[in-house]
Each structure stands twice: as structure tokens, then as C-alpha cells.
Amino acid sequence: MNVIHSSLQSGVAGVRLTEDAAGLKGFLQPDCAAVIWRRQTPPDIQKSLNAVDPDLLPRGRVILPPIAVADTVRQLCDISGLPSGKVRAWLKADIAQLANILTRLIPSKMLRLRLDVVTTNACRKFHIDALSGRMICTYRGTGTQYGTSRRGADPTRIYTVATGAPVLIRGTLWPPRPSSGVLHRSPPIEGTGEARLVLVLDPLDDAENV
């Protein structure tokens, strides 16, 4: 199994790259299974975020209207004890921006917002989510991994999304089309001492779609 830690190319048919947020519109094209926004967290923010005690990183799972995202992230930071400052302000603004981008591409009344601090092999199996689409951004630690499956087997070439780079991935509930075979997973990190901070945003039609 070949694991490739690179964001220079997607390496997989159906996975697009964009240098800016506008390019995420490629997600709506029929032949697109995923789009990666190839961006980097500001270096000073990334350095400070990496230095935060994992116990102070915000975490939580909430179903909410898009307009409430920024205030909810603030509350999660309050609960975790993340200190006030530029890291906290940037994180709140960035998550709100990604939520806004997602709901413009996939109009939805509600979002399921999940912030996880991951230290184990959570979701280590390659899969496709049972929803229309999902946005994932790993703010700290190793990013989401993806590859092409053949006849249900795990990918033989695995690509890793860069830290800080949002990826928008189609799920099984996207309007029917031939399967692209593109699967993804959380990277196996158990035993490494790594602590990932991962944002997941799912568009929902209403609060009952959980």
C-alpha cells in the first residue's frame, strides 16, 4: 500500500483541486466526486494551534442553522477553555466561512457541525458517507486520506489532504450517477501521540435528518 502525503495533485480521477474558494463550485459538475481547496492555514496560526494542549481544543456535535455557526463555535471554545486570542478568532471566522460556502453550494436549512479531537484510529476504514455531501477540514494533524476502490477493495494508492485544506466530498445520496469509486478515511494515528482537530460539516434539509 502506497501512502502519498502530497497536495500537489489529486492523483485520482474525479477529484479536483482548486486554488481558491470559487473553485469549489466544481463540486456541482457531473464528473466530480470531490474537490480539495488547496490552501494553507496562516503559518503563525498553525504554529500556535499545534502548540495548544489537546484538552483545550474545542469539540462538540451540534445541529444548527448556518447563521448560528460562529456563535456556536465561540461557545464550544468557551466550554473547552481555548484561550482568547488570534487562534480562537481565526478558527471561529474560518468555520463560519466554510459553513457559508457549503450552504451556498448545497442549499440547506440546517447543518450538522462536528468538531472532533482525534487521537485514535477513528473511521480508519475507507468508505463513502450516506449523505449528499460533506465538508471536512483538518485544522491540526494529518488530513483526510482518499483513493480509488476497485471491486470494493481498499485503494492501493492513498493520498492525504494537506492540513488546513478543506475537502468537499460527495456521498451516496447525491443524485444518482455511476459510482466514481472514490473512498476516504481518517488516517490511522493510534499510538503516534498525534492529536488531530477535525471539522465536519453536513448539510441537512431539517433537524430530523440526523
Side-chain angles (χ1 to χ4, degrees):
M1 184 179 296
N2 187 12
V3 180
I4 301 171
H5 297 279
S6 174
S7 62
L8 297 179
Q9 57 183 3
S10 75
V12 173
V15 178
R16 298 186 175 202
L17 298 177
T18 178
E19 300 296 332
D20 54 41
L24 290 171
K25 292 179 180 178
F27 183 77
L28 303 177
Q29 297 301 314
D31 63 345
C32 183
V35 181
I36 300 169
W37 178 4
R38 197 171 65 180
R39 67 164 196 176
Q40 290 184 329
T41 303
D44 60 327
I45 297 293
Q46 190 67 67
K47 181 178 179 180
S48 297
L49 184 57
N50 291 345
V52 173
D53 184 328
D55 290 339
L56 300 179
L57 294 172
R59 66 200 75 195
R61 303 184 182 208
V62 187
I63 293 176
L64 73 176
I67 195 172
V69 168
D71 188 58
T72 298
V73 173
R74 179 190 60 77
Q75 293 180 49
L76 293 177
C77 290
D78 286 344
I79 293 169
S80 71
L82 182 67
S84 298
K86 60 183 181 181
V87 169
R88 179 166 163 163
W90 182 88
L91 196 62
K92 182 181 75 170
D94 194 69
I95 293 173
Q97 178 194 27
L98 293 183
N100 182 58
I101 290 170
L102 178 61
T103 52
R104 287 178 179 272
L105 289 172
I106 307 176
S108 50
K109 297 178 181 179
M110 305 292 287
L111 289 174
R112 179 166 47 214
L113 181 153
R114 191 171 88 226
L115 268 172
D116 282 339
V117 179
V118 183
T119 58
T120 63
N121 291 344
C123 296
R124 69 182 186 277
K125 293 184 178 181
F126 281 97
H127 63 282
I128 301 176
D129 298 303
L131 37 73
S132 59
R134 166 170 286 179
M135 180 173 280
I136 305 172
C137 184
T138 302
Y139 286 110
R140 168 172 157 167
T142 307
T144 298
Q145 295 182 328
Y146 65 95
T148 301
S149 172
R150 295 184 179 181
R151 299 179 181 177
D154 283 351
T156 55
R157 292 173 64 85
I158 300 170
Y159 295 83
T160 304
V161 179
T163 305
V167 54
L168 187 53
I169 305 175
R170 284 187 184 178
T172 57
L173 301 186
W174 192 261
R177 58 178 296 277
S179 174
S180 65
V182 175
L183 306 180
H184 67 280
R185 72 173 183 184
S186 295
I189 61 169
E190 190 166 352
T192 66
E194 181 177 339
R196 304 171 65 230
L197 177 62
V198 184
L199 169 72
V200 179
L201 292 171
D202 300 331
L204 303 175
D205 289 333
D206 53 62
E208 294 181 354
N209 290 328
V210 296

